[in-house]
Every structure is written in C-alpha cells, then in structure tokens.
C-alpha cells in the first residue's frame, strides 16, 4: 500500500498518473497547501522541503520498515524500480528516460512554475519577469517539440516516467500563454497521453477530492 500525500497541482498529478497506470494500491491524503498543511510537523517528517507530493511505501521490496520519499522525480523513479514498469532496464532507453525526467524536474517544471507565478499570482505585474519566463517557456516547449518530432513518447517508443512528469505541466499550457498549435509534435503527444484511461482516472480523482 502506498500513501500519497497530494494536492491537485502539476507535481501532484505526476504521481497519481503513475499509480493509476501501474495498478498499485494507494491511499490519497489531500494536503491543503492554501491552508498551510504542508508545514505541519507530521508532514515535514515525510517531506522536509514542505512540498507535495510525498509518499510512504508500507511494503518496500526489501520487506523492511516503511520508506518515505519526497520530490516528484525521486518518487517516480522509486515507483518505477519497485514495479519494474515505465523505466526500461535496457541501458540506452533507461538513460534517455532519466535524462528527460531530470530535464523536467530541473528546468521545464521550475521555469513554467515561474511563468505561472508572474502571470497569475504576483501582487503587481513585473513586465521583465513575465517576458523572461514566457520566453524561457517557449524555448523549453521548442526543445520538447524537437524531441517528440523524433519519438512517439519522450524517451522513445514506450510511455515512461518522463512522460508522466511532463504531461501535467503541458496540461496547463493555456495558463502559460502557450498555443500548442505552434508545437504540433507536443500537441499530438499531449492528446495521446490525455486519452489514456489512467490519465483520465487520475484527473477525475483530483476533481472529487
């Protein structure tokens, strides 16, 4: 059983996508980040960076005591290794998958997050910041588009944790002032992932919590 500590944000959706795809049993614990629940001591014991998502695996593969993991990329890699799914054991495909997972958590997510902040949440407009992060968002979508022009999924022919990490951020493209018509390979990939039953279930679950 996996306990998922979650809010319906792009980073939160990454892990629910994996859990729905893999069929692992899990319990969803909604963390109200607007109320500051991420700062409670019991949550900080699991996620010392006071961010969602985080998980606790009560049945780790070594049969030992429960394992807690924070940071979405680390969680996806842990779950992929636990289940043997969505992360190839073949050296080259695995390496490419981890490259693009790292690209997402180190660049695509943080830069798009800054885009969200300055275009929607900053107390007053900061034109320089808006332009800077919009341009970087556009650049990163171009990087992703070129990769998807060559591949069905981000790391190759197989759906992987790199796709799960990236999809929830692309799902917010309108908030980022991005028109996917300008990135046709991304648009086609986005529609493929959106149509997966597990994607639909993960997002529907978010709406009822």
């Amino acid at each position: 059983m996996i306990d998922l500590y979650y809010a319906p944000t792009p980073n939160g959706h990454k892990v629910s996508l994996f859990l729905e795809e893999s069929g692992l049993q899990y319990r969803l614990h909604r963390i109200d980040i607007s109320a500051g629940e991420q700062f409670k001591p019991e949550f900080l014991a699991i996620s010392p960076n006071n961010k969602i998502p985080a998980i606790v695996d009560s049945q780790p593969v070594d049969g030992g005591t429960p394992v807690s993991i924070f940071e979405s990329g680390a969680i996806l890699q842990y779950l992929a290794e636990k289940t043997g799914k969505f992360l190839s054991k073949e050296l080259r495909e695995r390496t490419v998958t981890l490259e693009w997972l790292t690209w997402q958590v180190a660049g695509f997510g943080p830069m798009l997050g800054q885009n969200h902040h300055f275009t929607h949440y900053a107390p007053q407009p900061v034109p320089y910041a808006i332009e800077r992060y919009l341009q970087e968002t556009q650049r990163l979508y171009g990087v992703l588009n070129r990769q998807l022009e060559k591949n069905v999924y981000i790391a190759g022919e197989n759906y992987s944790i790199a796709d799960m990490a990236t999809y929830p951020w692309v799902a917010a493209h309108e908030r980022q002032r991005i028109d996917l018509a300008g990135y046709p390979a991304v648009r086609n990939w986005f529609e493929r992932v959106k149509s997966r039953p597990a994607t639909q279930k993960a997002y529907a679950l978010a709406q009822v919590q």
Side-chain angles (χ1 to χ4, degrees), residues 1-208:
M1 176 65 71
I2 302 293
D3 287 283
L4 169 60
Y5 296 84
Y6 161 98
T9 68
N11 287 334
H13 289 312
K14 296 176 187 179
V15 181
S16 62
L17 284 173
F18 186 99
L19 292 168
E20 290 296 337
E21 288 280 357
S22 68
L24 281 172
Q25 288 189 314
Y26 69 99
R27 289 184 290 253
L28 194 65
H29 304 271
R30 185 74 169 261
I31 301 298
D32 187 347
I33 56 179
S34 64
E37 291 182 356
Q38 70 273 30
F39 296 104
K40 290 184 176 180
E42 56 268 31
F43 181 70
L44 290 173
I46 301 167
S47 181
N49 196 33
N50 60 265
K51 302 288 185 181
I52 63 92
I55 68 168
V56 176
D57 181 2
S58 60
Q59 297 178 319
V61 294
D62 66 358
T65 57
V67 174
S68 64
I69 307 103
F70 71 103
E71 293 298 326
S72 60
I75 294 168
L76 288 173
Q77 185 171 350
Y78 175 88
L79 292 173
E81 291 174 347
K82 174 184 175 73
T83 60
K85 297 179 177 180
F86 306 112
L87 178 59
S88 176
K89 293 182 173 61
E90 191 277 321
L91 174 64
R92 286 160 185 81
E93 185 177 348
R94 177 185 176 87
T95 299
V96 173
T97 302
L98 293 177
E99 281 181 327
W100 285 93
L101 175 65
T102 303
W103 173 84
Q104 192 285 314
V105 298
F108 195 68
M111 293 300 100
L112 274 54
Q114 292 297 318
N115 178 317
H116 289 182
H117 176 79
F118 284 105
T119 56
H120 296 285
Y121 300 115
Q124 62 274 332
V126 184
Y128 170 79
I130 292 170
E131 182 66 17
R132 169 182 168 79
Y133 289 111
L134 178 57
Q135 288 183 354
E136 181 62 2
T137 297
Q138 292 167 340
R139 186 191 72 81
L140 289 164
Y141 270 88
V143 172
L144 182 59
N145 196 72
R146 289 191 293 275
Q147 179 67 4
L148 287 166
E149 287 174 341
K150 301 179 292 184
N151 298 289
V152 177
Y153 293 106
I154 292 175
E157 294 298 311
N158 299 312
Y159 186 61
S160 75
I161 55 175
D163 301 286
M164 296 176 197
T166 306
Y167 173 84
W169 286 96
V170 175
H173 62 272
E174 292 180 353
R175 290 177 59 79
Q176 300 148 15
R177 303 183 182 179
I178 290 293
D179 183 353
L180 290 186
Y183 307 91
V186 175
R187 181 186 58 198
N188 293 339
W189 164 87
F190 174 75
E191 293 299 332
R192 284 196 297 275
V193 178
K194 184 179 180 180
S195 68
R196 295 175 72 91
T199 302
Q200 296 175 17
K201 188 172 181 181
Y203 275 78
L205 182 66
Q207 298 301 317
V208 300

